[in-house]
């Protein structure tokens, strides 16, 4: 049976990938941010996940405005990265887990989530940056991935409540998987940021800190915000918080805080890490 061992929320600012490529982790601007990942490395070494199920948003690399699935799930043997215009080195492909992907697709569809299935899927910085942060140094990555894309780009966007329910459904589906797997669920994006328009550079620290707190012990009130509430409170791109809500939705057992950091700004973004331990409820 699959075991959900934890959840991780993490920002995915492309400039982080640029800093890694140039070896700037100890640079004064970057050090406080990268130091925040050390406890995550210790946790990964101890907890040894073998699969990462990652909620993220594609930013125009694989899906474009002409065809935009609300929810899409990878079902590939491997996921390639490609040059998306940020000047980041192209990452070697990420190993997939087609058996788990198809189990999730079957279970989600039966659970009334009609996801777009992708037997080919290019993954952008929202996947590559968290993976490079979790497993730095260019070594062989010890995990397979199942990417689940949520549309945060082309309105109308799925509501926070809907994304939380998607996470719940993914959690249920993982619990019914009959193969042994130690699963880490990741939510990639956020926290508050706005990249363009009159409020470019907008960051809302009190709102972010409230979200970090709620995500640990009481996430449901966060699902009552509308997308427009999130745009107002956390910026046009701050809506990426929905991936964190989906991650948290997947954790239906006992959740406790393992580690958290909040550092502003990285580029235009409030960069945050939230690592949660998860003990599944006994059936
Ligand atoms: C930035 C943040 C993002 O989430 C993103 O997808 C692209 C850029 C930034 O702050 O630069
Ligand atoms: Fe983003």
């Amino acid at each position: 049976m699959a075991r959900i061992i934890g959840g991780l929320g993490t920002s995915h600012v492309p400039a982080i990938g640029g800093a890694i490529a140039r070896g700037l982790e100890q640079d004064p601007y970057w050090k406080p941010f990268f130091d925040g990942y050390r406890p995550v490395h210790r946790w990964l070494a101890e907890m040894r996940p073998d699969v990462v199920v990652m909620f993220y948003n594609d930013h125009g690399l694989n899906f474009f405005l002409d065809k935009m699935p609300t929810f899409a799930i990878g079902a590939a043997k491997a996921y390639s990265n490609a040059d998306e215009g940020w000047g980041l080195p192209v990452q070697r492909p990420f190993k997939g887990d087609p058996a788990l992907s198809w189990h999730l697709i079957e279970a989600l569809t039966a659970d009334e989530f009609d996801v777009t299935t992708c037997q080919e899927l290019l993954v952008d910085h929202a996947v590559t940056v968290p993976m490079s942060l979790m497993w730095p140094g260019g070594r062989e990555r010890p995990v397979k991935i199942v990417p689940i894309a949520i549309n945060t780009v082309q309105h109308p966007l799925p509501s926070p409540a809907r994304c939380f329910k998607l996470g719940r459904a993914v959690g249920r589906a993982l619990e019914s998987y009959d193969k042994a797997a130690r699963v880490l669920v990741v939510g990639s994006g956020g926290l508050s940021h706005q990249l363009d328009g009159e409020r470019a550079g907008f960051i809302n620290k009190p709102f972010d800190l409230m979200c970090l707190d709620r995500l640990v012990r009481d996430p449901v009130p966060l699902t009552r915000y509308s997308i427009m509430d999130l745009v107002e409170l956390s910026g046009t791109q701050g809506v990426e918080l929905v991936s964190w809500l989906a991650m948290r939705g997947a954790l239906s057992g006992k959740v406790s805080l393992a580690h958290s950091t909040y550092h502003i700004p990285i580029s235009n973004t409030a960069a945050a890490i939230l690592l949660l331990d998860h003990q599944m409820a006994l059936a």
Side-chain angles (χ1 to χ4, degrees):
M1 188 179 141
R3 226 180 104 194
I4 304 173
I5 58 171
L8 175 74
T10 177
S11 305
H12 61 219
V13 180
I16 298 167
I20 294 171
R22 283 176 284 136
L24 296 179
E25 291 91 336
Q26 295 304 310
D27 179 272
Y29 177 86
W30 290 103
K31 187 173 165 33
F33 171 75
F34 282 101
D35 282 354
Y37 249 89
R38 287 186 185 191
V40 179
H41 298 153
R42 287 195 287 274
W43 188 93
L44 290 170
E46 189 187 325
M47 298 300 285
R48 289 172 291 103
D50 38 52
V51 185
V52 166
V53 172
M54 190 181 300
F55 295 100
Y56 76 107
N57 59 302
D58 182 88
H59 300 72
L61 178 68
N62 190 84
F63 303 116
F64 202 60
L65 304 181
D66 57 337
K67 297 180 205 71
M68 182 60 72
T70 301
F71 299 127
I73 174 164
K77 280 195 200 121
Y79 301 93
S80 294
N81 173 224
D83 181 5
E84 45 172 316
W86 290 103
L88 304 179
V90 172
Q91 301 278 309
R92 63 174 186 282
F94 298 82
K95 268 180 286 176
D97 188 341
L100 177 57
S101 289
W102 284 110
H103 169 78
L104 292 178
I105 290 163
E106 300 265 357
L108 287 170
T109 306
D111 212 353
E112 301 182 358
F113 278 94
D114 310 313
V115 289
T116 300
T117 58
C118 304
Q119 297 186 60
E120 283 184 4
L121 182 68
L122 287 175
V123 291
D124 73 3
H125 66 274
V127 171
T128 62
V129 167
M131 292 298 284
S132 304
L133 283 167
M134 283 187 279
W135 289 283
R139 294 184 300 275
E140 188 64 25
R141 305 176 197 104
V143 290
K144 297 174 179 173
I145 69 168
V146 176
I148 304 180
I150 299 178
N151 169 28
T152 70
V153 172
Q154 166 94 321
H155 289 255
L157 312 184
S159 70
R162 183 73 177 147
C163 296
F164 188 76
K165 284 182 192 163
L166 173 71
R168 278 268 178 271
V170 167
R172 282 193 293 275
L174 287 169
E175 284 162 22
S176 71
Y177 190 51
D178 60 5
K179 295 203 183 93
R182 295 171 63 79
V183 182
L184 171 64
V185 183
V186 174
S188 165
L191 288 180
S192 58
H193 62 303
Q194 169 141 350
L195 301 180
D196 44 29
E198 276 176 21
R199 294 200 309 163
F202 175 77
I203 280 175
N204 186 346
K205 182 173 178 180
F207 179 75
D208 289 338
L209 295 182
M210 183 276 290
C211 288
L212 285 170
D213 182 49
R214 286 258 180 230
L215 280 159
V216 182
R217 51 182 187 85
D218 184 20
V220 171
L222 299 179
T223 69
R224 298 190 189 120
Y225 290 113
S226 68
I227 284 292
M228 284 310 156
D229 291 336
L230 289 190
V231 167
E232 215 171 298
L233 288 163
S234 76
T236 41
Q237 280 74 38
V239 295
E240 290 175 350
L241 178 69
V242 293
S243 286
W244 291 49
L245 283 170
M247 172 276 286
R248 183 61 179 82
L251 313 182
S252 63
K254 190 165 167 285
V255 171
S256 51
L257 178 66
H259 170 63
S260 146
T261 61
Y262 184 79
H263 178 73
I264 48 178
I266 290 293
S267 181
N268 280 305
T269 297
I273 303 165
L274 183 71
L275 179 61
L276 300 172
D277 279 310
H278 180 243
Q279 262 149 13
M280 286 166 69
L282 292 177

